[in-house]
Amino acid sequence: MFRKKFLLLYVLLTLSVTPDYLSPASGIKVYALTSDNRVMLSDNSGRSWTPCMRGLPVDCIPVRIYTAGGKIYLASFSSGLFRLKNYEWESINSDLFKRRSIYDKEPGYRKISAFAADAGDENNIVTATKHSIYRSRDGGLNWTEVPLNGLNRRNYITALAVAGKKIYAATSFNGIFVSGDKSFSSCGSGLPNEPYSDTLKFTEQISMLAVNNTYLYAGFSFGGGLYAKKHNEKNFSPVVFNVRKNIDVFIYDIQFKGKELFFTENSVIYRKESDSPITEYSGYTEIITRIAGQKNIYSVTILDEAGRLPTLSLRTAYPEKNRRSIAAADRNTLYLSVSSLKFLDKHIDEIKKTEINAVVIDMKDDFGNIYFKAGAGTASEIKAQKNPLDIKSILTRLKNNNIYAIARIVTFKDQKMYNAFGGLYAIKNKNTGKPWKGSEAEYWVDPYSEFVQNYNIELARDLEKAGFNEIQFDYIRFPSDGSVNLCNFTYKKDADTYKSEILIDFLKKAANILNIPVSVDIYGFNSWYYFGNWIGQDMEELSHVVDVICPMVYPSHFGNRFYSKINSRLRPYKIVYDGGLRAMFMVDRSVSIRPYLQAFNLMAPSWGPDYIRSQIKAAKDSGCSGYTLWNAKADYSVSYKALTK
């Protein structure tokens, strides 16, 4: 009798304690996102998988799984938001989420960049489509747009949390905001940041938010760690744990279970209770280890259906994909100005002594001048046509020396088109109705104009027919300098169009018409954070459309405080390396990253061959696919010394 009571007590005690490892029979399910855009399900700890795709569009590109209140939600890149019900995904989308397009009748949905549900009310959910926030009070049946007073559309929303009426919005570079009665306001200080200039600093990109009755937690991308603050306090403090400072370390999920805090750092789970030290949670080690060997899986969500542990999502890998264009990959490039082409043979002789295997040449310059015989008459009509170069001879000499030829087209900065037709296609000044003027010597045309877009695409087609291997669009953006608040885009058909969406419209059309690789030049700082609606250069969106992205990461062009703590000789390497590596995490991995490097002496204390070599090494070390050396005058005397084999 005593033995039976003892056994019963032992069983009851065993059942009341959460074991450190829960067997598959305990009701654990694992959901995985794969590099070929599938959602998979395993009920045996990752030993085998079955598709979990019912209800999803054929072209759905999953982004991540969110969990709340036992429910599972799927955010996608272009198909919107879904919730899992009886192993079938149901759309909880609104027309508000749809992307805007001047060409596509069914343009799909904007990327769901963040999602959150209220722990106290599972029907109170919020989501973001990059630069907009929406709330539903009925679990996704109806949505309303949240006014962004105090949080303008230049911010990219990377994470959300919601508790009752309050919405917490995290951004890619401006910290955290909380909604009030009438507007959003900055929510606390003390977060990790990088000074840019004497007056400007950027907060590290936030990857996850979580809120309970006492604390607001913020997890960061790129090694920024985990921070927390009490609701009645102003400053965040770092949560004490041995975070690795590597750029490739992300806080991927934050969840609560009673008094316990769980969070994931890439594929490692940590647990903390009250004021106790943080410990690594080993309960799912066997599952994670098994999945880590499955190369096509990049994210998993582990669901304990019995509710003994919170559902946790982990980033297990970063999917590698085949390059979209093999021809465009691994091109080590020199920029050659039009005036330097009279010395082309000398450049070819020097190039043959180096690893350079490509050149980029202006075919339409910063003022709209055209240096080849354009097929359409518009170039002549607007007086853009210059005496054409002997393109056939130039390309023949390059081809005979196995040098890949890239045609550079400056797109929306175009003085010739700006002045043509009485300023019809120029960006207008809101106050005067006349063509808007930004910085000195900058003349911008309206990116929303189909006439302007078609003109540049026609030029690209001519250059393809002439024999160029690649088209490179530069100034594929909106103006950034001058009184940009006065810009009026008269060809804008939908006021809710993001700036990035019209640029993607243009590039999609160009890529569909052209049969050779398409590349784009973008600001180097886009490699650090999601910018998107600032000047329209959304690196992630671009990576789904073009073959090559060329961030201009010249060390001289960053603020005077940026990376100022780094030794001046190491700073060029560190800027290029970080820019390349961070870019790789933000883009579709099938695109090539080919950075523009500084080959001119400006604000370069350690200028010389080593300065150039260090940038090239950084580009290679970070995983970039080639590089382009830029010198506006094509003076590569120092570069050739750096590159000579």
Side-chain angles (χ1 to χ4, degrees), residues 438-456:
S439 295
E440 188 67 28
E442 288 199 356
Y443 300 84
W444 289 86
V445 293
D446 194 334
Y448 293 93
S449 165
E450 292 183 52
F451 181 85
V452 170
Q453 291 193 14
N454 290 335
Y455 170 61
N456 284 280

Side-chain angles (χ1 to χ4, degrees), residues 9-19 308:
L9 178 62
Y10 174 79
V11 170
L12 290 173
L13 287 172
T14 303
L15 291 175
S16 66
V17 177
T18 301
R308 291 158 295 192

Side-chain angles (χ1 to χ4, degrees), residues 97 104 119 214 258 357 364 446 560 617:
F97 304 170
D104 297 331
T214 308
N357 56 19
K364 176 177 175 235
D446 194 334
N560 64 331
K617 185 178 187 302

Side-chain angles (χ1 to χ4, degrees), residues 315-328:
R315 184 81 179 198
T316 55
Y318 293 92
E320 293 294 338
K321 296 183 181 180
N322 294 327
R323 296 293 186 197
R324 186 171 300 129
S325 171
I326 300 298

